[in-house]
Amino acid sequence: MQHHQRSPHRTVIQMYRAGSSYASGSRSATRRHVDYGRTYVAWPKGRHRATIVWLHGLGDNGASWYQLLETLPLPNIKWICPTAPTRPVSLFGGFPCAAWFDIADPSQDGPDDADGLEASAAHIANLLSSEPADVKLGIGGFSMGAATALYSASCFAHGRYGNGGRYPINLSAVVGLSGWLPCSRSLKTKVESSQEAARRAASLPLLLCHGTGDGVVPYKQGERSAVTLRMSGFRNLTFEAYNGLEHYTIPEEMDAVCKWITARLQLDGSRA
């Protein structure tokens, strides 16, 4: 089975950090209309039981993850791999890059681009909105894509976007690889806003995976995100650590993702 060994996200950030202008990249990018790039779809090889939107990392595109996901032994899943809009990124001093939202610091402590996260969460929900009623829905992602998936999980639990609009998708699973939790400061308040929100948070299966050797989104950020999610009421959460793994994925990790998805979405014996 062929897998990504390294993600372009790792290369983009580390190449830029080697430059002299990295330290000046903390100003917020100017707001502007953004257009999403091409969406790639891997159709199920067996009966369609689930649809998962998978989100790439910073500077990547939907094609690279599409090429990996279509090789996975999950014949009942339809994968939707969108491409983020190209926008000025504060981390890179305003240099335009494919990004789900603006980012100055890939951690829970950095400033949150609420507008960008909101727009991407709505775009993802729209991609899932026309799926058949009997199909289970999920969101996954790598790095910045994982952060966006976790933001969508918080919208699902709350039942609303940050702007108050109703979140329309019933999620059955969320996966985040090498990512972090954005908008963490308000998460506990949102989950505790109603019994329904608390129930949705407690029942949503979450899988977070992180490499201990990650130099882009440090392991401690992934671990801290898992703790924050659990303390906020997301009790159905699995956190997997990969010793020495840097900021990319490996076959062992993707095999674990496949097994977890199969179990949580009850896809066992569903090859027909």
Side-chain angles (χ1 to χ4, degrees):
M1 194 188 306
Q2 296 296 312
H3 294 274
H4 281 347
Q5 293 300 313
R6 296 176 183 271
S7 164
H9 174 88
R10 178 179 186 269
T11 306
V12 169
I13 290 186
Q14 291 193 336
M15 283 177 62
Y16 202 91
R17 281 181 171 172
S20 60
S21 55
Y22 167 72
S24 65
S26 59
R27 291 178 298 172
S28 296
T30 303
R31 298 282 179 212
R32 64 185 181 90
H33 174 73
V34 292
D35 293 313
Y36 290 84
R38 181 177 172 183
T39 296
Y40 299 80
V41 178
W43 295 92
K45 299 173 180 66
R47 186 160 68 92
H48 185 190
R49 299 279 305 279
T51 296
I52 299 176
V53 171
W54 191 274
L55 309 169
H56 62 76
L58 181 61
D60 202 355
N61 58 66
S64 59
W65 280 96
Y66 160 81
Q67 291 165 8
L68 169 61
L69 295 169
E70 71 169 352
T71 70
L72 299 181
L74 294 169
N76 305 105
I77 293 182
K78 173 184 174 182
W79 298 96
I80 301 177
C81 303
T83 299
T86 298
R87 69 176 86 218
V89 175
S90 295
L91 180 64
F92 301 153
F95 185 82
C97 189
W100 298 109
F101 52 92
D102 187 29
I103 175 177
D105 175 26
S107 76
Q108 281 187 227
D109 300 317
D112 292 311
D113 174 18
D115 290 344
L117 282 160
E118 201 94 318
S120 287
H123 180 67
I124 297 158
N126 186 54
L127 290 172
L128 290 169
S129 63
S130 58
E131 292 302 293
D134 62 341
V135 166
K136 295 177 180 178
L137 306 177
I139 303 172
F142 175 80
S143 194
M144 173 181 263
T148 310
L150 291 177
Y151 180 76
S152 293
S154 71
C155 292
F156 162 72
H158 189 214
R160 299 189 175 278
Y161 294 105
N163 63 11
R166 186 181 71 86
Y167 185 76
I169 303 302
N170 183 26
L171 292 177
S172 294
V174 172
V175 178
L177 309 182
S178 307
W180 71 95
L181 175 66
C183 299
S184 61
R185 299 167 187 87
S186 60
L187 182 57
K188 197 167 190 290
T189 302
K190 288 180 178 178
V191 172
E192 293 176 349
S193 64
S194 71
Q195 288 185 339
E196 275 298 296
R199 182 191 61 78
R200 284 190 293 265
S203 63
L204 177 64
L206 293 173
L207 173 64
L208 301 187
C209 302
H210 218 107
T212 62
D214 196 328
V216 176
V217 182
Y219 173 78
K220 65 180 181 181
Q221 290 293 341
E223 193 174 43
R224 183 178 166 201
S225 295
V227 169
T228 301
L229 283 161
R230 284 197 183 107
M231 290 179 62
S232 300
F234 290 85
R235 296 197 292 269
N236 193 1
L237 185 151
T238 302
F239 182 79
E240 298 284 355
Y242 288 84
N243 189 38
L245 179 64
E246 298 178 32
H247 200 66
Y248 48 88
T249 190
I250 54 174
E252 179 187 355
E253 183 180 46
M254 293 311 298
D255 289 345
V257 169
C258 288
K259 290 175 182 174
W260 185 88
I261 288 174
T262 297
R264 294 304 181 276
L265 298 186
Q266 300 176 325
L267 301 179
D268 291 325
S270 300
R271 293 197 169 274

